[in-house]
Amino acid sequence: LKKQNGDVTGWLYFENEDISYPIMYSGDDTTYLHTALDGSYASAGSIFMEGNNHPDFEGSHTIIYGHNMTSGRMFGSLKKYKSKSYMQKHKYFFVHVKGVNGNTDEVLKYEIKNVCVVNLGSKIYTIQFGDNFTQEDYINQYHGLCGNSLDKDKTICTLSTCTNFGRQRLVV
């Protein structure tokens, strides 16, 4: 796929789930809202990484966006994770990427710890931590919003999709 489109940065998939898509990275948050892998217009767009992230998944917090399709396509099935029993049975997702040297394949495994609805612009979308808002501050605030604790010093990957309520977003 990288030969077809150099913006492919990985492949996101869930075991036994409908979510299995290439992850696009353009350096902005609009290109792949309505653009398919082949560059053509697509109302459903593509699954894409936050423009301020590093396309190599080396940052401490990576955000991946996708449309919430009523058919369940894209990130439409993420709403199933609102059920704690569903989340306990399907608690991992994976990102297949090229390794740091670009030659080896690597599979990143993420455990789903939290699911919640937040307002667009929430601090949950912070990707760069500093003195005024540390990763520990982020984890404490995220814990307060969603109810499960996160491990300190672990990389975080957030999946984000729209809801039917205007400026609110479902985050996993």
Side-chain angles (χ1 to χ4, degrees):
L1 289 177
K2 199 104 166 110
K3 288 178 184 174
Q4 182 181 350
N5 185 329
D7 287 350
V8 174
T9 191
W11 190 278
L12 170 72
Y13 63 97
F14 286 62
E15 284 186 330
N16 304 318
E17 294 298 320
D18 297 332
I19 299 173
S20 182
Y21 295 98
I23 303 167
M24 309 304 291
Y25 177 79
S26 65
D28 65 58
D29 294 338
T30 57
T31 298
Y32 287 102
L33 272 175
H34 300 291
T35 303
L37 173 71
D38 65 3
S40 66
Y41 175 82
S43 60
S46 298
I47 302 296
F48 64 96
M49 184 186 290
E50 161 68 42
N52 290 314
N53 277 130
H54 298 285
D56 57 8
F57 285 84
E58 291 296 316
S60 55
H61 184 206
T62 300
I63 302 172
I64 301 173
Y65 300 106
H67 284 294
N68 178 3
M69 306 300 290
T70 55
S71 66
R73 289 182 45 242
M74 306 302 277
F75 280 177
S77 62
L78 286 182
K79 57 186 150 273
K80 294 177 186 177
Y81 285 90
K82 289 181 178 181
S83 162
K84 286 189 187 246
S85 64
Y86 185 86
M87 187 168 73
Q88 288 171 344
K89 292 177 185 171
H90 305 91
K91 61 183 176 177
Y92 298 102
F93 69 90
F94 305 87
V95 177
H96 185 217
V97 296
K98 287 286 184 192
V100 177
N101 64 11
N103 295 322
T104 59
D105 290 343
E106 200 175 339
V107 176
L108 308 174
K109 180 179 180 181
Y110 293 96
E111 181 178 0
I112 298 173
K113 294 282 225 167
N114 296 304
V115 179
C116 58
V117 175
V118 299
N119 290 323
L120 188 61
S122 163
K123 281 195 172 190
I124 213 161
Y125 291 101
T126 301
I127 59 169
Q128 295 179 3
F129 305 110
D131 294 338
N132 294 334
F133 192 67
T134 65
Q135 186 173 9
E136 187 172 351
D137 294 333
Y138 176 89
I139 289 170
N140 290 336
Q141 183 164 348
Y142 194 59
H143 172 71
L145 283 172
C146 302
N148 286 327
S149 63
L150 297 175
D151 299 326
K152 294 177 185 169
D153 302 323
K154 297 272 185 167
T155 59
I156 301 166
C157 184
T158 298
L159 309 178
S160 178
T161 191
C162 56
T163 66
N164 294 330
F165 303 105
R167 297 183 54 83
Q168 291 186 327
R169 301 293 183 259
L170 176 70
V171 293
V172 174

